[in-house]
Amino acid sequence: MKTPWILAAALFSAGALAQGIPVRIGVIGPFTGGSADVGTTMLNGIRMAVDEINAVGGYLGRPLELDIKDDFADPEKGLAAAKELVADKVVATIGVCDNGVGMKVVDVFQQAKVPLLIPCATGTPLTTKFPPAQSFIFRTSARDAIQASFIVDDILKRGWNRVAVFADTTDYGDAGLHDTTQALAQQGVKPVYVARVASSAKDVTAQLAEARAANANVILSYAVGPEAATIANGRKIMGWKVPQVGAWPLSFPNYIDGAYGGAEGSLMAQTFIAEPSNERRAAFLSTYARKFSMSRIRVPVAAAQAYDATYLLTYALLGIRNGDLSGPTVKNALENIHRIYYGVVATYEKPFSPEDKEAISQNMLVVGLVRNSSVTFAHPEDARRNLFVQRKK
């Protein structure tokens, strides 16, 4: 994928200096273990963007250099990794896929006044923990509050109003359960059944039987991939053909592959569907396939959101003309990006401000559908709408 011409023009018009000291950017994510699919795909998106940016001069002739830390999806290891990145004096960090890790590391970056751009983790509390004007925490993924509201709107339009909510017992499940029940309440709907699914649970058929006895006509799951797959497998074993819907983890390989066919027909909120629905996305997909020698992106949303986050950070840095890359200066630059970035997920015009650290708004979401073990558009109108990349509302 060619670097956007506007970025190249900005770099060269600045009179790129002779190659200088690298600009260190931290990356933190789960590159080992059960969440590695998400973390590695995120990292690939970041690397792809950095290679393109460095090819046209980096930051005023200084190459971007990644300082990569594996958090293993473990909050304590993530905490240690975040402290290492701060000690390494990175100008900003891109990362966090696990909400439990996120709730640990946001304190580190906030206290150190080092911006953190989150392209994967969606827990609503991550960007509400600190007052917006003082917050150094930014995000290019769709927070669960808008995902929950979006998917609730969709299922109620389909007439599925007897909702059984299954949430795992992680920080992700806690926050998702809160957002889901709140979204339902705003529509005047109360779940007919609520279940908490233990991490690594292998059998939830007893809870599913209770949900069926409550006459649920849809399961709204807020669980990471393996636990969501356990729910799908239980439905399949029971022969209960109720639909399963949820947030973006229902697009993960460990859900789709782990459910052994039970995931077919599942619906989920997505910011990006890996189909060449417009020129930008077609170029992104073909470049990713060539660069990483794979025909299928394991977690397309993670790659696309991380790619866009890297460019947004670079656009912010290019607004700093005096070379002052201190944390508060970079924060201010992120809040005042003046150039429009024509990204893969969205067209970003003033994505952040002192009052708003979320780049994604609900109008950017589409409903994804698992079909033949891949994710496609659930609604023809979403596919048509995606011919044009959405802007924030």
Side-chain angles (χ1 to χ4, degrees):
M1 181 176 182
K2 293 182 179 179
T3 303
W5 69 267
I6 195 166
L7 176 58
L11 288 162
F12 287 120
S13 66
L17 307 175
Q19 184 136 329
I21 299 171
V23 176
R24 303 193 77 187
I25 297 172
V27 179
I28 185 169
F31 310 123
T32 306
S35 297
D37 269 339
V38 182
T40 301
T41 308
M42 175 193 75
L43 179 58
N44 286 347
I46 296 168
R47 281 177 163 155
M48 193 164 119
V50 165
D51 287 349
E52 292 172 358
I53 293 162
N54 283 341
V56 293
Y59 167 70
L60 305 183
R62 296 172 60 184
L64 306 185
E65 179 181 87
L66 298 178
D67 187 347
I68 301 168
K69 304 295 184 187
D70 192 344
D71 63 34
F72 302 88
D74 180 291
E76 293 305 320
K77 291 179 180 178
L79 180 63
K83 291 178 179 178
E84 289 176 17
L85 288 172
V86 168
D88 290 346
K89 299 190 182 303
V90 296
V91 301
T93 290
I94 302 171
V96 180
C97 296
D98 179 83
N99 288 280
V101 170
M103 291 304 288
K104 284 281 189 180
V105 307
V106 292
D107 290 328
V108 175
F109 292 110
Q110 182 70 19
Q111 290 168 10
K113 297 184 177 180
V114 175
L116 170 67
L117 281 80
I118 302 174
C120 287
T122 57
T124 301
L126 295 176
T127 46
T128 59
K129 193 169 185 180
F130 310 108
Q134 286 77 51
S135 180
F136 281 74
I137 313 303
F138 299 77
R139 177 156 45 194
T140 62
S141 55
R143 68 188 183 278
D144 286 323
I146 64 172
Q147 288 195 64
S149 177
F150 177 75
I151 205 68
V152 163
D153 285 348
D154 186 73
I155 64 176
L156 294 181
K157 287 176 184 176
R158 295 169 183 266
W160 300 335
N161 58 359
R162 295 189 60 78
V163 185
V165 179
F166 279 65
D168 69 27
T169 54
T170 66
D171 287 342
Y172 174 72
D174 288 342
L177 177 60
H178 173 269
D179 290 334
T180 298
T181 52
Q182 189 172 61
L184 287 167
Q186 288 171 352
Q187 299 279 4
V189 177
K190 183 178 181 180
V192 298
Y193 182 77
V194 175
R196 300 307 303 269
V197 179
S199 296
S200 303
K202 302 300 182 185
D203 184 359
V204 294
T205 52
Q207 291 161 302
L208 287 167
E210 291 174 353
R212 183 164 61 180
N215 295 317
N217 59 8
V218 63
I219 291 176
L220 203 168
S221 64
Y222 244 94
V224 293
E227 286 73 31
T230 298
I231 297 167
N233 283 326
R235 289 191 297 108
K236 185 178 177 183
I237 291 168
M238 294 168 60
W240 191 24
K241 298 188 182 299
V242 66
Q244 185 168 336
V245 304
W248 77 301
L250 296 190
S251 68
F252 291 5
N254 55 10
Y255 171 67
I256 296 174
D257 299 340
Y260 304 107
E264 198 71 7
S266 296
L267 301 169
M268 80 296 296
Q270 296 277 271
T271 59
F272 175 78
I273 302 287
E275 295 181 9
S277 51
N278 57 58
E279 185 178 355
R280 290 185 226 169
R281 290 172 178 170
F284 173 80
L285 292 169
S286 62
T287 301
Y288 189 102
R290 289 195 306 272
K291 186 174 185 66
F292 301 108
S293 301
M294 57 181 66
S295 58
R296 176 188 175 192
I297 305 178
R298 296 289 286 171
V299 187
V301 174
Q305 291 173 170
Y307 178 88
D308 282 357
T310 308
Y311 267 104
L312 287 175
L313 175 59
T314 303
Y315 270 49
L317 295 178
L318 289 171
I320 302 170
R321 316 308 288 177
N322 61 2
D324 176 10
L325 301 184
S326 63
T329 303
V330 175
K331 171 184 179 290
N332 181 67
L334 282 163
E335 294 167 348
N336 295 278
I337 298 174
H338 297 296
R339 296 179 182 274
I340 296 175
Y341 168 51
Y342 297 92
V344 176
V345 171
T347 294
Y348 301 91
E349 183 175 10
K350 298 181 179 178
F352 306 116
S353 72
E355 296 77 30
D356 185 4
K357 299 302 193 290
E358 305 280 359
I360 301 297
S361 53
Q362 189 165 323
N363 66 293
M364 298 174 183
L365 299 179
V366 297
V367 181
L369 165 71
V370 178
R371 178 184 293 154
N372 298 325
S373 299
S374 294
V375 177
T376 188
F377 292 100
H379 302 306
E381 59 269 29
D382 281 345
R384 289 192 295 269
R385 191 165 61 91
N386 265 253
L387 293 171
F388 307 95
V389 183
Q390 300 298 302
R391 296 186 183 219
K392 186 175 182 179
K393 292 181 180 178

